[in-house]
């Protein structure tokens, strides 16, 4: 990983900031980035994958514990087959290529989403990455692949309903905690900050339950341009938010 440190002044400023523990990112705008340059969309995806590495490094440098990134939604299957296939191969290659370095950096890689629908070879790389990095603690990187929040919530309802039906669970025992612990994100604290790149003001089926009280930061910067400085800006903006959680 290449690391370009911010100026000492910015680093000091970060020290005084309220840092988010968990940042979620909707990595959007790869296609537009490529189009602006007269390149095929896939070139944008390739560049986007590189930026993820940089952002993981920032989390480690700045002490942000968890990063959850939206890599592929349940709705993204609706894209042309060639693009979907390219993305699946890109994910697999990235995992293969970056695993050793991520592991040596102490990154724990986890995946959220319905992984059973992914190509078998990608599923194998995913399992390998999760097994290899399971005990790492420097940064928890959660990658959402074939993730859809509505599907996640429905699966949870079905799972809990089955438990009630077979007498293992009383309906009144279903509370926010139990529900959260039955989602893909079980054991992961809710995000403090959600970043969406490329200016879209929508959630696109991402973490609908988990972001109930998350601070939202939208930037017009396209994901392949979202570098260390851009991330820093988002963290500073977060530090200036007044999180009230309904209180005064
Ligand atoms: C995000 O970039 C990557 C994925 C959704 C896989 P897009 O591919 O959505 O880029 P735009 O929004 O078309 O620019
Ligand atoms: C959201 O981006 C999904 C990911 C970033 C992986 P999209 O590009 O799919 O979202 P929409 O279609 O603009 O809502
Ligand atoms: Mg998009």
């Amino acid at each position: 990983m290449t690391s370009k440190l911010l100026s000492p002044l910015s680093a000091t400023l970060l020290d005084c900031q309220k840092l988010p523990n968990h940042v979620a990112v909707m990595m959007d705008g790869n296609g537009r980035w490529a189009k602006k340059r007269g390149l095929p969309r896939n070139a944008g995806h390739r560049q986007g994958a590189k930026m993820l590495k940089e952002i993981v490094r920032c989390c480690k440098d700045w002490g942000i514990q968890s990063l959850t990134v939206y890599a592929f939604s349940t709705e993204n299957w609706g894209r042309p087959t060639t693009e979907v296939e390219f993305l699946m191969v890109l994910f697999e290659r990235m995992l293969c290529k970056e695993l050793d370095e991520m592991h040596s950096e102490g990154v724990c890689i986890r995946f959220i989403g319905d992984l059973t629908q992914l190509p078998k070879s990608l599923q194998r790389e995913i399992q390998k990455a999760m097994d290899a990095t399971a005990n790492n603690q420097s940064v928890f990187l959660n990658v959402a692949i074939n993730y859809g929040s509505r599907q996640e919530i429905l699966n949870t309802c079905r799972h809990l309903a089955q438990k009630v039906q077979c007498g293992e669970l009383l309906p009144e025992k279903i509370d926010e905690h139990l529900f959260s612990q039955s989602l893909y994100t079980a054991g992961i604290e809710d995000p403090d900050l959600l970043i969406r790149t490329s200016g879209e003001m929508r959630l696109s089926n991402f973490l609908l339950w988990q972001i109930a009280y998350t601070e939202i930061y939208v930037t017009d910067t396209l994901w392949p341009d979202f570098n260390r400085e851009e991330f820093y800006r988002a963290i500073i903006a977060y530090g200036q938010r007044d999180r009230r959680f309904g209180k005064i």
Side-chain angles (χ1 to χ4, degrees), residues 62-77:
W62 300 342
I64 296 169
Q65 282 166 356
S66 303
L67 177 71
T68 299
V69 294
Y70 206 5
F72 192 88
S73 74
T74 45
E75 287 69 31
N76 289 149
W77 294 109

Side-chain angles (χ1 to χ4, degrees), residues 43 116 162:
T116 63
Q162 277 160 356

Side-chain angles (χ1 to χ4, degrees), residues 86-244:
F86 179 87
L87 284 167
M88 295 300 151
V89 171
L90 179 68
F91 297 148
E92 199 177 316
R93 273 207 208 122
M94 276 288 288
L95 275 175
C96 217
K97 193 164 147 260
E98 305 299 341
L99 180 59
D100 286 351
E101 199 177 332
M102 289 277 182
H103 184 37
S104 65
E105 295 273 345
V107 178
C108 172
I109 311 176
R110 301 182 286 205
F111 293 83
I112 56 172
D114 180 4
L115 306 177
T116 63
Q117 301 306 308
L118 301 174
K120 289 281 176 280
S121 52
L122 175 56
Q123 288 188 43
R124 278 194 294 274
E125 287 304 322
I126 285 177
Q127 198 55 53
K128 206 168 117 190
M130 288 200 290
D131 292 346
T133 66
N135 296 320
N136 290 347
Q137 306 237 334
S138 81
V139 175
F140 293 93
L141 171 64
N142 311 304
V143 185
I145 295 191
N146 191 21
Y147 175 87
S149 193
R150 286 188 169 181
Q151 186 206 58
E152 176 185 38
I153 290 168
L154 282 177
N155 285 346
T156 296
C157 291
R158 209 174 292 127
H159 169 74
L160 295 176
Q162 277 160 356
K163 283 191 149 189
V164 169
Q165 193 180 32
C166 65
E168 274 177 40
L169 178 68
L170 292 169
E172 54 271 31
K173 293 281 179 206
I174 301 174
D175 59 9
E176 288 189 17
H177 178 74
L178 181 67
F179 199 86
S180 296
Q181 292 316 307
S182 310
L183 297 168
Y184 291 128
T185 49
I188 303 171
E189 293 288 313
D190 290 343
D192 299 298
L193 172 65
L194 171 73
I195 298 173
R196 181 163 189 156
T197 57
S198 348
E200 273 4 301
M201 302 277 187
R202 55 176 173 259
L203 295 172
S204 306
N205 207 9
F206 191 42
L207 303 176
L208 302 181
W209 169 276
Q210 296 87 339
I211 60 167
Y213 262 105
T214 299
E215 294 297 320
I216 299 176
Y217 177 89
V218 178
T219 170
D220 285 334
T221 303
L222 306 172
W223 173 252
D225 292 325
F226 192 82
N227 56 17
R228 179 168 276 251
E229 286 73 20
E230 294 285 340
F231 191 27
Y232 181 78
R233 241 172 249 144
I235 300 301
I236 295 294
Y238 171 82
Q240 289 159 356
R241 301 282 177 92
D242 180 16
R243 301 187 75 186
R244 289 190 287 277

